[in-house]
Amino acid sequence: MTETLTDPRVVRAIELAWREAALLDAKEYEAWQGLYADDARYVIPIERDAEDFDDVLNMVHDDARMRGLRVRRMTEGYAIAAVDSAITVRTVSRFIPTDVDDRSVTLKAAQIIVAYKRGRHDLWAADVDYVVRLGASGDEDRFARKVVRLVNADEAVPAAGFLL
């Protein structure tokens, strides 16, 4: 690793990941959707080591159209998961920049989500890979790819009425 967390390009990518976590905890899904480039992928694979997501089973494998449909289901109030969705608190940390240039930043991170619903807490843990496409300013930075690798991806995963 030659890049450091003090590299301003890396800082912008980390800030985007934190902004995303805050928007998801606030259930601001329309704003969340705007953090993604039009050609971005949001993936939660069933196999933790998967790299070619087109050839494996995924819990989520969304392009812009699928993200839009997902947001619509979560905001229109017709999906039972959206009506009675959990309160969540996300922590995104352990950032490791793996590839940095003036156009993009690739990061590995850890994410912990505590979800509270009907008197019960659930814990979700994952390694997350981000590819952030840098814009002219931080406000223009967008996710080109986000892959959430749940620590228990190969086991039965409880239903999540929220995005990871």
Side-chain angles (χ1 to χ4, degrees), residues 82-147:
V83 172
D84 189 24
S85 64
I87 297 168
T88 59
V89 175
R90 289 167 174 73
T91 301
V92 185
S93 186
R94 201 224 308 120
F95 291 101
I96 300 170
T98 59
D99 191 29
V100 179
D101 62 38
D102 289 340
R103 293 177 293 149
S104 68
V105 174
T106 302
L107 291 171
K108 292 189 173 296
Q111 177 174 262
I112 303 292
I113 302 172
V114 177
Y116 178 78
K117 182 176 179 179
R118 296 184 198 139
R120 178 183 158 163
H121 289 89
D122 286 312
L123 185 66
W124 298 71
D127 291 306
V128 184
D129 298 334
Y130 297 98
V131 176
V132 174
R133 193 171 297 144
L134 299 174
S137 68
D139 291 340
E140 297 176 20
D141 296 344
R142 297 289 180 267
F143 291 113
R145 181 174 125 146
K146 177 181 176 185
V147 179

Side-chain angles (χ1 to χ4, degrees), residues 25 43 100:
D25 284 340
V43 182
V100 179

Side-chain angles (χ1 to χ4, degrees), residues 1-162:
M1 178 176 76
T2 57
E3 294 79 15
T4 68
L5 296 179
T6 58
D7 183 319
R9 299 168 296 184
V10 173
V11 170
R12 285 172 48 179
I14 292 170
E15 287 175 346
L16 184 64
W18 285 341
R19 192 172 349 146
E20 179 191 41
L23 288 173
L24 290 174
D25 284 340
K27 300 179 178 24
E28 294 182 25
Y29 300 119
E30 293 287 347
W32 167 80
Q33 193 173 206
L35 300 180
Y36 283 77
D38 290 341
D39 61 342
R41 294 288 173 165
Y42 167 63
V43 182
I44 306 173
I46 300 297
E47 298 174 25
R48 278 185 50 83
D49 298 330
E51 288 297 331
D52 184 358
F53 306 111
D54 292 335
D55 291 333
V56 298
L57 184 61
N58 299 288
M59 190 171 157
V60 173
H61 187 190
D62 288 357
D63 58 9
R65 180 181 155 278
M66 292 300 291
R67 283 190 306 277
L69 291 171
R70 190 175 304 280
V71 166
R72 192 164 67 196
R73 282 193 306 272
M74 297 178 82
T75 57
E76 288 183 342
Y78 297 114
I80 189 67
V83 172
D84 189 24
S85 64
I87 297 168
T88 59
V89 175
R90 289 167 174 73
T91 301
V92 185
S93 186
R94 201 224 308 120
F95 291 101
I96 300 170
T98 59
D99 191 29
V100 179
D101 62 38
D102 289 340
R103 293 177 293 149
S104 68
V105 174
T106 302
L107 291 171
K108 292 189 173 296
Q111 177 174 262
I112 303 292
I113 302 172
V114 177
Y116 178 78
K117 182 176 179 179
R118 296 184 198 139
R120 178 183 158 163
H121 289 89
D122 286 312
L123 185 66
W124 298 71
D127 291 306
V128 184
D129 298 334
Y130 297 98
V131 176
V132 174
R133 193 171 297 144
L134 299 174
S137 68
D139 291 340
E140 297 176 20
D141 296 344
R142 297 289 180 267
F143 291 113
R145 181 174 125 146
K146 177 181 176 185
V147 179
V148 179
R149 299 176 192 281
L150 291 168
V151 297
N152 59 341
D154 58 348
E155 297 178 6
V157 176
F162 50 86

